Amino acid sequence: MALSLTKKICDLLIKKKLVTEDDLNKAREISAEKGGHLSDILVEMNAVSRDDLLTTLSEGLGFPPIKLSHFRIDKDALKLIPKKISISYQILPVSRVGKQLTVAMVDPLNIFALDDLKTVTNMDISPVIAAEDDMKEAITKYYEKSAGEEISAIVDDIETAQMEMVTEKGEEISFGELLRITEEAPVVKLTNMILSRGVKERASDILIEPMEANSRVRYRIDGVLRECYDPPRKFHQALISRIKVMSDLDIAERRLPQDGRFKIKIEERTVDFRVSIIPSSFGEKAALRILDKEQAMIDLDRLGFMEHDKQMIRTASERPHGMILVCGPTGCGKTTTLYSILKHVDDPGKNLITVEDPVEYELKGINQVSINEEIGLTFAACLRSILRQDPDIIMVGEIRDFETLDVAIKSALTGHLVLSTLHTNTASGSIIRMINMGLEPFLITSAVELIAAQRLLRKLCLECRESYTPSKEVAEKYGLFDEKGKIPMIYKPRGCKRCMNSGYQGRVGIIECLKLTPEIKELLFKRAQASEIEKAATKAGMSSLRENGIKNVIEGITSLEDVLRTTVESRERE
């Protein structure tokens, strides 16, 4: 967004008292550090709504506003401006009347864009102002083919070229022939389309699975798998082989699991993919984890945690030694939280080293080591070597066995701050897990500073969420009361084009932080059950995952249904 427009945004928002100077300063800091437009960051911070932002800009700049998602675009007008120019300037032709062309623009003060449009179209340009995310969605909608249309076109190309992948019976083809096919343009195009669509739709994972009659491509978006399209079964082997070639894996080996990774450039940014391929009854299945730095929120203030929990994490991470454990199921954001802690404590005067399997995001100024069990470079072996590197802070990607746990705990006891993850469902359950792994309780009480369990909730789509007031019975059952003790108005999902009819867009983290108080340490020595430890932690002020989720419901961030889907009450665990 042009500097002139950014200044106008700030002046107008302050004048109308929609944001404070503190909000603007915080947004500027995030923009300088992470990149991104100031307006988008303010909306993401919930400092101002998109509708208020657009209305304010329209009033202040004197350009009419337009909601592109509610407007039918003139197809003849679309032909006047090429897709490349539309993406470059974030513009979209809306309608044409004689020599007058109405153009929706994110930045209507961009003189260079207006001059170029006049030259390209040889028409008079009449700008209207549109929200940036609305613009991106509209450009995709009107300039790009749908996934189904694109799949059909590629399949037609393959069949026109008479490329035989495998027979309908699934008979294998030779290694040389398969290698040739993976380099053919239609297969490359099909693979790239599946990958780029996954990135554009904010998927965290892509699954390519062989079915009896066809292949199936699914994206995990906001934690939920969605079936997107199903290429013909005969193309499956070539598709998997293409991914193997990109990951530098053995395309001739189809009996054993294989893991790899690769990078590709999508929309002028580099995106990492972590690949896992396993054999199944109908063929090989590929699971690709998308590691997109632009989507990752590596910042404690942007993870969505409650202020009380963030402060506990900051306090524990600022100690010179000890251990911080983050636990939860796969895909709940544990590594992102650890990276955010590392970013918080990073300092040129400290030596930070991570041991990961594999390294997910490259962090500037931090030494990151990827383990390799095939050559004996395990977590435990790597940790022992790292201790000779004079580290101040060590991050261990995951504690899987007693040997790694033992070295990590002893590192925390000998003057190092150790961050790690553990696969347990609750904070109190992590203590029991460590004892079951063979660790003595006195080592836990001496080394562990904080244990946090987390989950990711889906954020309601702000464009289509519906408000309602829950019944008294529901409010009493789940504690749906505001600060004044009244039943608040909450929201539920509806579904629209922006959120692909899911009712949700994006995710927010919730966390429960367990501090080892003297009472909890006493329970550890008695080898108490997880339920007893949790009761003591709650008594000491710990907010459970369910309680933090309910706070998000009251604030209108997520729905009650999603909190109930993701969390369980303490009594349900017993």
Side-chain angles (χ1 to χ4, degrees):
M1 190 173 285
L3 185 61
S4 58
L5 184 54
T6 301
K7 189 175 184 307
K8 287 271 188 183
I9 289 175
C10 299
D11 293 343
L12 289 167
L13 292 176
I14 290 290
K15 186 178 179 181
K16 291 180 74 72
K17 297 181 180 179
L18 290 171
V19 299
T20 64
E21 284 286 355
D22 288 341
D23 290 332
L24 283 174
N25 291 334
K26 189 173 180 180
R28 287 190 187 105
E29 287 175 12
I30 294 172
S31 179
E33 193 170 334
K34 290 281 183 184
H37 297 311
L38 195 67
S39 57
D40 288 337
I41 294 168
L42 286 168
V43 172
E44 191 176 306
M45 289 167 51
N46 292 320
V48 63
S49 71
R50 286 210 181 273
D51 287 342
D52 285 343
L53 186 66
L54 190 61
T55 303
T56 304
L57 282 172
S58 174
E59 290 174 5
L61 302 178
F63 295 103
I66 186 172
K67 196 106 171 174
L68 292 171
S69 57
H70 297 167
F71 198 89
R72 180 171 289 179
I73 305 298
D74 184 349
K75 290 185 178 180
D76 291 330
L78 276 172
K79 297 174 184 176
L80 297 172
I81 298 177
K83 176 183 175 183
K84 189 174 181 180
I85 292 177
S86 179
I87 293 173
S88 176
Y89 289 127
Q90 290 290 281
I91 59 174
L92 192 76
V94 174
S95 63
R96 172 187 178 180
V97 180
K99 292 287 287 181
Q100 189 84 15
L101 181 65
T102 301
V103 179
M105 305 179 70
V106 171
D107 183 359
L109 300 180
N110 190 333
I111 302 169
F112 302 107
L114 292 170
D115 287 344
D116 280 359
L117 288 175
K118 196 168 185 178
T119 303
V120 169
T121 62
N122 195 28
M123 299 183 76
D124 296 324
I125 306 301
S126 177
V128 293
I129 191 167
E132 186 169 7
D133 61 337
D134 203 16
M135 177 66 72
K136 287 179 179 177
E137 184 181 321
I139 289 173
T140 301
K141 177 181 176 181
Y142 290 105
Y143 279 105
E144 295 184 10
K145 294 178 181 177
S146 70
E149 290 172 339
E150 206 164 345
I151 283 275
S152 298
I154 295 170
V155 168
D156 289 343
D157 287 345
I158 293 173
E159 291 179 340
T160 301
Q162 294 183 339
M163 293 171 60
E164 292 295 333
M165 307 299 174
V166 276
T167 66
E168 295 296 333
K169 294 180 181 179
E171 295 170 4
E172 295 185 359
I173 57 179
S174 68
F175 170 79
E177 182 67 10
L178 191 57
L179 188 59
R180 180 190 66 78
I181 289 170
T182 61
E183 300 299 331
E184 293 281 356
V187 173
V188 173
K189 192 175 179 182
L190 178 63
T191 308
N192 290 346
M193 189 278 290
I194 290 171
L195 299 179
S196 61
R197 287 277 177 180
V199 173
K200 288 175 185 176
E201 293 183 14
R202 302 177 296 101
S204 59
D205 300 89
I206 302 174
L207 302 184
I208 303 172
E209 304 160 301
M211 300 287 108
E212 188 172 8
N214 58 275
S215 288
R216 180 173 66 174
V217 178
R218 293 191 289 172
Y219 294 150
R220 188 179 293 280
I221 301 172
D222 297 334
V224 177
L225 279 171
R226 299 179 191 173
E227 189 169 345
C228 299
Y229 22 80
D230 48 352
R233 176 72 177 86
K234 60 183 178 179
F235 303 143
H236 182 81
Q237 190 175 337
L239 190 57
I240 295 294
S241 296
R242 175 62 191 166
I243 290 169
K244 284 183 178 180
V245 168
M246 295 172 73
S247 309
D248 199 23
L249 300 177
D250 183 0
I251 67 170
E253 179 56 74
R254 301 182 193 128
R255 301 165 300 170
L256 297 173
Q258 295 188 70
D259 296 324
R261 64 188 304 157
F262 62 87
K263 295 181 181 181
I264 59 172
K265 206 164 188 178
I266 297 175
E267 294 185 338
E268 301 304 315
R269 68 181 192 264
T270 301
V271 180
D272 284 17
F273 289 82
R274 201 169 72 199
V275 180
S276 172
I277 295 176
I278 61 169
S280 70
S281 55
F282 292 116
E284 290 179 293
K285 171 187 173 182
L288 293 82
R289 169 65 57 89
I290 301 175
L291 304 173
D292 187 356
K293 291 181 183 178
E294 289 200 9
Q295 294 291 337
M297 296 184 293
I298 303 174
D299 189 323
L300 277 175
D301 288 324
R302 299 181 69 191
L303 296 178
F305 300 153
M306 296 296 168
E307 192 57 43
H308 172 260
D309 295 317
K310 283 192 291 187
Q311 191 53 48
M312 286 184 71
I313 293 171
R314 289 193 189 100
T315 301
S317 65
E318 288 164 5
R319 290 182 62 84
H321 54 78
M323 175 179 275
I324 298 175
L325 278 174
V326 181
C327 57
T330 301
C332 73
K334 299 186 296 295
T335 303
T336 301
T337 299
L338 290 185
Y339 280 161
S340 300
I341 296 172
L342 282 177
K343 184 183 172 187
H344 174 68
V345 298
D346 188 20
D347 184 274
K350 292 179 180 177
N351 181 12
L352 280 68
I353 304 178
T354 75
V355 190
E356 304 171 63
D357 180 26
V359 172
E360 290 198 10
Y361 297 104
E362 294 174 2
L363 303 175
K364 189 177 179 181
I366 296 175
N367 303 288
Q368 295 175 271
V369 181
S370 185
I371 72 163
N372 187 342
E373 293 187 351
E374 290 182 4
I375 61 172
L377 188 63
T378 61
F379 276 117
C382 200
L383 262 176
R384 291 192 186 93
S385 297
I386 282 174
L387 292 173
R388 294 191 285 273
Q389 293 283 320
D390 188 31
D392 296 293
I393 300 169
I394 304 168
M395 182 188 119
V396 183
E398 182 185 344
I399 292 175
R400 301 173 180 170
D401 51 48
F402 173 74
E403 188 181 12
T404 307
L405 177 62
D406 186 51
V407 178
I409 284 284
K410 287 174 181 175
S411 301
L413 288 170
T414 53
H416 308 89
L417 180 64
V418 180
L419 315 176
S420 192
T421 69
L422 202 60
H423 278 285
T424 58
N425 289 323
T426 63
S428 55
S430 295
I431 295 174
I432 305 303
R433 173 77 188 278
M434 287 189 283
I435 292 174
N436 289 341
M437 288 172 75
L439 196 66
E440 291 296 330
F442 75 89
L443 290 173
I444 299 174
T445 59
S446 302
V448 177
E449 287 295 325
L450 186 73
I451 302 174
Q454 76 174 70
R455 298 290 188 279
L456 292 175
L457 299 174
R458 292 181 292 172
K459 293 169 70 175
L460 284 164
C461 174
L462 298 178
E463 291 291 321
C464 65
R465 64 179 185 175
E466 292 183 340
S467 61
Y468 72 101
T469 302
S471 66
K472 185 178 178 181
E473 292 77 12
V474 170
E476 288 176 348
K477 183 176 180 180
Y478 298 113
L480 289 167
F481 298 101
D482 60 20
E483 294 176 354
K484 297 178 181 179
K486 295 182 179 179
I487 300 174
M489 182 177 68
I490 61 176
Y491 296 87
K492 61 182 178 181
R494 187 182 69 188
C496 64
K497 288 182 180 179
R498 186 181 299 280
C499 61
M500 294 181 285
N501 292 314
S502 69
Y504 298 94
Q505 192 170 40
R507 290 196 284 178
V508 64
I510 54 171
I511 200 164
E512 61 180 24
C513 294
L514 189 153
K515 179 79 176 171
L516 270 67
T517 62
E519 184 183 352
I520 292 174
K521 290 179 180 180
E522 187 66 31
L523 288 171
L524 258 67
F525 287 123
K526 294 178 181 177
R527 297 182 181 266
Q529 296 296 312
S531 56
E532 296 178 69
I533 295 170
E534 186 162 341
K535 285 176 183 175
T538 303
K539 188 178 178 182
M542 181 184 82
S543 294
S544 69
L545 289 167
R546 172 64 62 86
E547 289 168 341
N548 283 330
I550 293 298
K551 288 176 185 175
N552 278 277
V553 172
I554 294 171
E555 291 178 12
I557 297 171
T558 189
S559 67
L560 178 61
E561 292 79 8
D562 205 58
V563 171
L564 299 181
R565 177 186 70 87
T566 310
T567 66
V568 295
E569 288 186 302
S570 300
R571 62 174 179 268
E572 294 176 31
R573 298 172 186 166
E574 296 176 15

